[in-house]
Structures are given as structure tokens and as C-alpha cells.
Amino acid sequence: MDKTFDLLLQGVNLFDGATGMDVGIRDGKIAAVEGNIPPQAAAEAFDFRGKLLIPGFVDSHTHLDKALTIQDEEADGLVDAVNLFRNYQNRIPKGKIAEDVKRRAARVLDMEIAHGTTCIKTHLLCDEVWGMESVYALDELRREYAGRITLQLIVPWCEANAEELDRACRKGIIDYFAGYAHLCDDFRTELDGIFARGEKYGIPLDLHVNESDVGNIDEFLYIQQKTMDLHMDGRVNCSHVTAMCAVDDETAQKGIALAERARTNIITLPSCNMYLMGRHDRQPVRRGVTRVREFLQAGVNVAYASDNIRDPFRPFGNGDMLEEGLFTAQVLQYGTASKLAEVLRMGTFRAARNAHLSDYGLTVGCTADLAVLDAETPREALVTRAQRLLVLKNGKAVSRSGVLVP
Ligand SMILES: [Zn+2]
């Protein structure tokens, strides 16, 4: 008999509550989602009766070039972590930087793939110490891992590397411009420069914003206004915004309303924030996590992500978006079935929006970047940190039961 599908996932449960669905995959795309497809219609069929099928996780904010550099010294807050990592950078000999970055980043990619992640957005260093070594290393790794995971590179502008950066932008190596304006003396001038470059090269922005315990979100407000003034609506992502937890409700509401109008995507990083923020408070200690609940209520898109994996910024993490999701749920005090489903959406559908992924999802025509979890519902998946039974990238198996497919 003619095989209509390359692969068939039988009897899966879907996000929307549908159960017992058969998902047929052809040429790397979802070709059918129906109630009753015979196994003979596919070259290969898997019986996943009652198991939850999700689109692959999107880890939309991580730092692969910093990962796995855990040291004995504990950082006393964000600035201290920046300095500790600078010490690490200085210890790597010039000719060994790319090799060091690639080796550590590849390990994290393998961890993420085994845990069902099919797309990663990574922030990278571009500075006077390492130049553009991280950028080139990750661009190479992106080619080596093509077909296993999608990699998007987020790079800050550094005047010392201006010519090379210009070339990299024109070659399409850089997917987003990064920004760390809260660490600069004058955030407005810094942001003006970042927005101008975003406009010039047509590259969207992915910014670290107000990552601070100080009750001031002027930077966040400035970004929303600037986004609208330049008609960059929907092309700006703001990560952290932890200062939101230190401002009064009125100021916060002003920022949230502007973000909704500017169609800004928010990325919350609770596991890293809970570790680094509030360190200099005495009781009561601020929790250092942005106002996720209120952003969502206002219709602002929010995703969660891993941020740092075993480095001076956070000595924890397993490249597991389900683990990050469970932690996020606890920090947000989200416990009901519907709220836990929302958390899972924040690591999948909502994250895919800030990664500008088209054809992402569980409907016919979507790319078959999928994960089957050993759980019946989103709640069970999060609470048990369910085994990832099968991970597909473009319809091809890349991991089975936590073991990478060679
Ligand atoms: Zn970060």
C-alpha cells in the first residue's frame, strides 16, 4: 500500500484537551491531525495512546557561551557575576576561545535536544576580550546542528568589532541585536544607538531590561515609546524587567499598558532572577521577578526561559525547559490545571512568538518540531517533569526517551 505519511503518532493528547488523535507527518510537516488514521498509512507508526504531544520547547533566552563554567566562588549579585565571568574569559588563551565555547555550547545543545527543545535563542558575548569568537563559534555550531535544533544568535554591538559586526549583519549571521542599557551610565543614548542599528539592518531587538532591584522602570518605558515611534511594534523583546517588582502599581500599569500597545514580548527568567536578585535586601526580601500575571492579563505575550546554565550567574540548570517551567510555576504561584497549561504555553507557543517562528504549532502545515511527553496533561507533564519519549525535528527523530539519536 502507498504510504501517505513518513511517520504517524497514534492516539496522542493535544494541548487543547483533544485526546486520541493521530498525527501524520510528511516531508517534515504535520500533514494530518485526525481521529482515525490506520498505521498502514505510514512508513513508521508509534503508538502513543494517551500521551501528550507538544510543539518543541523554545528556550528563548539563554547564554550558551557562558554555560558550564561553574566556579567555586559565589556571585554576590548581577554585577559580581559579570566580573566573575570576565575572570573566566581572561583565563582562556587566545587561540583556544572558539574551541572552549563550542565544546561547552554543544553539551548544552545535546541536553536541550534530549529534553525536547527544538529552538534556542542564545545571547552571545561580543567584547574587547573575546572579540567575535563566540559569534563565529556558535554560527559554526548552528551549521553542525542543522536538522537537530534551530539556533538564533543575539549579539550586542561593540565598537571595537564594528567592521566585523557590519559584515556579520550583512551575511545574516546575527538574528537579533542585544542590549544591556541598564548597565550603562546613560541608558537613553545606549538605546538610541541600538534602535538605530536595528532599523539600519532590519534586525529585531532582544534586550536585557531593568534587571535590577531598584524601583525604577524608566528604561522599560523609554523602550516602549521608542518602539512605537519607530514602528518596530512586535519586533522588540524585553527580558527580565525585574525592577517591575520594586515599583508601585500605578507605574507598573503604565509600563504594562505601553508594552501591550507596542506589542513587546516579555521574557521572564525566574530561576536566574531568584538566585541573583534581592541579595542586598533585608526582610522583606524582594522576589526579583517581573509581573507576569499582570502582563498576561493585559494581553502581553510572556515566555519563560533558562537564561544561565551552570555559570557564575546561576550554578544550576539542566537544559530542561520542563524543569524551568516547573520552577516558574512555583515562583508565579500558578497551581491549577489551566494555569499550568499556561506555563507550558509560555515555554512553547508564547516563546515561539518572540522567536518569530512561522509554521510553529500542532496544526496541519506546521513544521513537525514536536515532543511526546510521558504524561496525559500539561499539569502532569510539569509536576512529574515527564520523560520526553520522542523528540522530532523537521519530522525526524532526534531523541528517544532522553537518548540522542545518532
Ligand atoms: Zn540573560
Side-chain angles (χ1 to χ4, degrees):
M1 154 178 195
D2 258 7
K3 302 296 182 191
T4 312
F5 305 110
D6 303 323
L7 195 68
L8 181 64
L9 309 175
Q10 290 181 278
V12 294
N13 296 350
L14 301 179
F15 242 103
D16 59 8
T19 58
M21 300 304 286
D22 298 328
V23 177
I25 293 159
R26 188 174 55 232
D27 299 331
K29 302 262 182 202
I30 297 176
V33 183
E34 292 168 20
N36 200 7
I37 303 175
Q40 299 87 331
E44 198 174 8
F46 290 92
D47 186 352
F48 283 127
R49 215 146 293 277
K51 305 297 181 192
L52 183 68
L53 177 73
I54 63 167
F57 286 110
V58 177
D59 193 349
S60 61
H61 179 141
T62 190
H63 294 257
L64 291 178
D65 57 354
K66 290 182 174 140
L68 309 182
T69 57
I70 200 156
Q71 299 166 44
D72 281 338
E73 225 173 320
E74 186 170 289
D76 187 29
L78 176 65
V79 174
D80 204 29
V82 170
N83 292 332
L84 281 178
F85 191 77
R86 184 53 72 95
N87 295 343
Y88 177 86
Q89 281 182 277
N90 284 322
R91 284 204 299 276
I92 305 296
K94 271 265 174 288
K96 298 275 182 196
I97 300 165
E99 181 190 325
D100 175 67
V101 169
K102 272 185 81 173
R103 179 180 49 79
R104 291 182 289 101
R107 271 188 64 201
V108 178
L109 291 184
D110 289 344
M111 287 154 71
E112 292 261 11
I113 293 167
H115 288 129
T117 302
T118 52
C119 174
I120 290 184
K121 284 167 60 205
T122 180
H123 288 270
L124 295 172
L125 286 157
C126 175
D127 60 14
E128 310 78 34
V129 189
W130 276 5
M132 293 203 27
E133 296 274 4
S134 282
V135 180
Y136 296 138
L138 263 293
D139 186 44
E140 260 182 56
L141 216 51
R142 163 157 64 186
R143 285 193 290 275
E144 289 168 27
Y145 274 76
R148 284 181 279 171
I149 193 162
T150 300
L151 255 182
Q152 299 182 346
L153 312 188
I154 313 168
V155 181
W157 192 270
C158 167
E159 243 359 275
N161 307 317
E163 256 178 57
E164 275 188 84
L165 275 163
D166 181 71
R167 226 172 301 132
C169 289
R170 293 184 195 289
K171 277 188 182 165
I173 291 174
I174 295 171
D175 298 293
Y176 307 83
F177 283 127
Y180 301 84
H182 58 290
L183 300 175
C184 301
D185 294 334
D186 176 7
F187 71 81
R188 287 181 184 84
T189 309
E190 180 71 12
L191 285 166
D192 289 349
I194 295 168
F195 271 91
R197 274 187 290 273
E199 267 201 308
K200 177 181 170 190
Y201 293 101
I203 291 178
L205 309 183
D206 203 300
L207 312 169
H208 283 64
V209 183
N210 286 135
E211 186 178 357
S212 160
D213 295 311
V214 178
N216 182 322
I217 57 163
D218 288 351
E219 182 200 348
F220 184 73
L221 299 176
Y222 188 75
I223 290 168
Q224 308 319 310
Q225 198 55 55
K226 188 112 194 157
T227 300
M228 289 186 280
D229 292 347
L230 297 177
H231 306 292
M232 286 177 71
D233 311 39
R235 290 173 61 74
V236 177
N237 300 332
C238 290
S239 288
H240 294 292
V241 210
T242 57
M244 270 283 185
C245 79
V247 295
D248 59 75
D249 288 343
E250 199 183 323
T251 309
Q253 280 314 317
K254 190 176 160 194
I256 290 167
L258 281 176
E260 194 272 325
R261 279 174 52 203
R263 292 194 294 122
T264 296
N265 296 298
I266 303 294
I267 304 169
T268 188
L269 299 308
S271 52
C272 198
N273 296 153
M274 291 295 278
Y275 179 72
L276 279 183
M277 295 292 124
R279 282 186 171 244
H280 304 117
D281 282 356
R282 293 291 164 262
Q283 300 296 349
V285 176
R286 283 168 286 197
R287 300 181 111 213
V289 176
T290 198
R291 297 186 183 222
V292 174
R293 217 177 261 260
E294 290 158 77
F295 273 120
L296 288 173
Q297 270 164 10
V300 178
N301 185 47
V302 185
Y304 73 81
S306 67
D307 206 1
N308 293 82
I309 297 173
R310 301 187 212 163
D311 62 21
F313 298 81
R314 181 174 73 118
F316 312 112
N318 293 298
D320 182 351
M321 285 289 284
L322 214 41
E323 176 183 291
E324 300 295 341
L326 177 60
F327 189 84
T328 299
Q330 291 170 65
V331 171
L332 297 182
Q333 301 170 335
Y334 274 19
T336 64
S338 64
K339 287 206 176 111
L340 289 169
E342 182 63 281
V343 170
L344 208 52
R345 262 192 289 276
M346 287 166 63
T348 52
F349 290 96
R350 288 186 174 282
R353 269 165 67 186
N354 81 50
H356 307 286
L357 298 181
S358 53
D359 303 335
Y360 177 91
L362 294 175
T363 49
V364 172
C366 289
T367 303
D369 286 2
L370 304 167
V372 182
L373 311 184
D374 190 9
E376 291 183 10
T377 61
R379 169 183 239 161
E380 188 188 352
L382 278 162
V383 172
T384 65
R385 282 174 48 209
Q387 170 81 276
R388 280 17 78 93
L389 297 171
L390 179 68
V391 182
L392 301 178
K393 178 70 186 165
N394 298 324
K396 294 218 163 52
V398 287
S399 178
R400 282 188 183 147
S401 298
V403 179
L404 296 176
V405 173

